[in-house]
Amino acid sequence: MLSAEKIDAKTCLSVVRIKGMMTSILVSLLLFPLVSACTESEHSSEGVNGHRIVLADREPGNWLSHGRTYDEQRYSPLSEINEDNINRLGLTWKYDFDTHRGLEATPLVVDGMMYVTGSWSRVYALDATNGRLIWQYDPEVPPEWAVNACCDVVNRGVALWNGAVYVGALDGRLIALNAKDGGVLWSVQTTPTDRPYTITGAPRVVTGKVIIGNGGAEMGVRGFVSAYDAGDGDLLWRFYTVPGNPEEPFESPALEMAAETWIGGKWWEHGGGGTVWDSMAYDADLDLLYIGVGNGSPWSRQLRSPGGGDNLFLSSIVALRPDTGEYVWHYQTSPGDSWDYTATQHMILADLSIDGAVRQVIMQAPKNGFFYVLDRKTGEFISAEPFVPVTWATHVDPDSGRAAVRPEAYYGYTIFDGRPSPFGAHTWHPMSYNPNTGLVYIPAIDSNFPYKLEEAFEFLELGVNVGIDGAAAAWPVDPDIRKAIRQSMKGSLIAWDPVAQKPAWTVEHKTSWNGGVVSTAKNLVFQGNGEGNLVAYSADSGRELWSFNAQTGIAAAPITYRVDGEQYVAVLAGWGGTMPLVQGGALTHAANKNVSRILVFKLDGEESLPALPVVEKPLDPPENTASEEVIERGMVLYHRTCFACHGDTAVSGGVIPDLRFTSRATHKLWDKVVLEGLLKSGGMVSFSRILDKADSYAIQAYVIKRAHDAKSELSKAQNNGRG
Ligand code: CA
């Protein structure tokens, strides 16, 4: 008889299908050894493997891989919690992280254990029934590496395979841990350490290979995805997403083809971008691995490829052979991407009935605002319609499948009012496809952005290199205008019908940066939001059924799992990530101190959260002695160098220090912090490579001015309050 571990996922899948089709006693007898081997492995002591993930619906209590199943539907068949009893859902345990930065991870749960990542790529193994810490692992990412992260020191989760836990660390390492005790099994550096690469995405494991991408296109890197042997960490293949110097040999025929779409310029000198920083999916039947490719570096095509061209494989979905990394097909969502319109967003595989035929599709709602349905076997375009208002393209041509880009969208030195913004119409926040309703639930954003080339763009060796005029893109400082802009930015949960290509229902949120989604068999959709609530809705109508105040903004996606017959709902609550850093005050109603926690709920859960500590922030800036010219120069330098972490116009989102509240004592140490790295242990490295003493002084003068602005706004508000 075949042993369980010798039967691969495809064999088990075929067995299940054949068994479903044929019921004769003879066939059942013939298949018996295979069937029992497939079943036995559900409780294999070796842990998660390929056929457990392919057959994940046979153990719905577990959440074995990032999207629960290889098709990444994030739909749970669990049914104990339903519309009738959800009012009994209560907190049953919480786990407080020891960090206060952004949380974006999806926890995995197998056989009563939860494996999850917090900020700084730290890994935690917890008892999934009560939150007891079994082990934790800190990869000790150097804090100064944070300057290479465009979008906070976040991590979106681990992968499990044959008794190991895999995590991608912010500094580019891929680490395998023993699932039992967190001991390091192996660790490899997946990225060049002399370039600003980061890893924030969750690895996937398919056919014994750990697949991992990376980020860094905002800084200047060349994107690629790699496969490592899950057993020993050997590099098996690497697929680059953009061509290198055409004078040198191409790594693959696919790149030779891609190079035809880059015209003029020397994009390879700083990498060209195209990072695979988040989404992947896998079809075991078709033996295809799908990767989502990110934006160009710098953002504008004019700076990379001044002669035009599509710049493949930027902003594309690419299908690869998982065993070799060989290219099979691609579909580009944003030709000649100039808007940070990544196609790294969540990809979902499903079988849909379209025009009377069942189609095997891949679906994506990338940053560019269109919802795409493609044939996942061939990459053939099926349909695309905008799910939010868009200004960069008029439509996607139904015959060619190509976006009709408005010529003015390829902006120059005058502002193009782009919609969506670089935050996307939808970014990494996971969606969910519910086969019962046939709907895809999209955490959507509607916002615009003034795209304008930076005058005399020069590539800097530290920090952000997007080639955008950051000062022009900053919000005006007038508090009333800021408020109006914030109100014009909309966040919503859209239940999208992928066949009809239109919304079935929409819930409008009060903030634009909201959480990922899970849906269940019992007509439930769970989503956290920027206001700090975890909410359950009816999957078919969007009616609000239940909510819980988490005391802090939620961006991560919930999961649901079952242990000993009891169903749980879990979510990571904690503010951070791109928008909260850049556009301060996106969070309007949540905590004044970021709290980072895992929250877990079950029916009749009786726990509650302690009251939040109130943090008083004194606003006591020194006198401003600098000239108007110096302050103006500081404003420009600030928006080139500092805004990505400390927020535009020096208004922080509450995760990273708001510089306006810098004390007089700290102002005396300003140059030591900015030029000498006094606070590098907190992630604030020395910027002496790109700023001199006069620059540092100018930025300080601008920050002091903004502190005085805030002080006068505050006293005006207090006077109004008295009046
Ligand atoms: Ca980007």
Side-chain angles (χ1 to χ4, degrees), residues 220-250:
V221 300
R222 182 186 184 196
F224 59 86
V225 60
S226 315
Y228 291 86
D229 186 309
D232 57 19
D234 278 356
L235 177 64
L236 300 174
W237 55 258
R238 177 163 288 176
F239 178 83
Y240 286 95
T241 57
V242 299
N245 185 347
E247 302 285 300
E248 291 166 16
F250 294 108

Side-chain angles (χ1 to χ4, degrees), residues 150 217-218 277 295 299 340 342 367:
C150 68
E218 268 60 55
W277 55 263
N295 57 281
W299 281 358
D340 189 17
T342 64
K367 277 191 184 180

Side-chain angles (χ1 to χ4, degrees), residues 339 341 367 418-425 445 447-449 451 579:
W339 316 275
Y341 286 166
K367 277 191 184 180
R419 197 169 172 188
S421 76
F423 296 117
I445 301 169
S447 66
N448 58 345
F449 183 84
Y451 290 94
M579 191 186 280

Side-chain angles (χ1 to χ4, degrees), residues 544-708:
E544 183 173 324
L545 302 171
W546 172 90
S547 89
F548 178 87
N549 182 356
Q551 301 181 336
T552 184
I554 299 173
I559 64 159
T560 181
Y561 61 93
R562 184 171 61 200
V563 184
D564 298 332
E566 194 137 43
Q567 186 182 350
Y568 298 82
V569 175
V571 72
L572 271 61
W575 202 229
T578 333
M579 191 186 280
L581 295 194
V582 180
Q583 287 182 338
L587 180 67
T588 53
H589 303 284
N592 56 0
K593 178 179 183 296
N594 193 39
V595 191
S596 293
R597 285 180 175 133
I598 307 175
L599 299 174
V600 179
F601 304 85
K602 67 173 187 179
L603 294 179
D604 305 318
E606 290 183 332
E607 284 298 309
S608 57
L609 296 178
L612 277 180
V614 175
V615 181
E616 290 289 345
K617 288 181 186 168
L619 189 54
D620 184 26
E623 290 310 305
N624 212 340
T625 52
S627 68
E628 288 294 325
E629 289 75 24
V630 169
I631 293 170
E632 181 72 17
R633 198 168 152 266
M635 191 267 288
V636 173
L637 285 168
Y638 177 91
H639 288 99
R640 178 70 173 79
T641 313
C642 319
F643 83 101
C645 290
H646 292 282
D648 86 316
T649 63
V651 179
S652 146
V655 179
I656 285 177
D658 190 314
L659 297 179
R660 299 171 304 167
F661 292 84
T662 305
S663 69
R664 286 176 185 238
T666 306
H667 267 294
K668 288 191 178 133
L669 301 169
W670 185 270
D671 276 357
K672 283 198 178 339
V673 174
V674 174
L675 301 176
E676 295 175 32
L678 183 69
L679 298 179
K680 76 172 183 193
S681 64
M684 174 62 196
V685 296
S686 159
F687 281 76
S688 61
R689 279 154 72 192
I690 59 169
L691 299 173
D692 63 18
K693 233 173 147 60
D695 298 334
S696 171
Y697 176 72
I699 294 170
Q700 182 177 24
Y702 173 64
V703 165
I704 291 172
K705 182 207 177 275
R706 292 294 295 131
H708 284 285

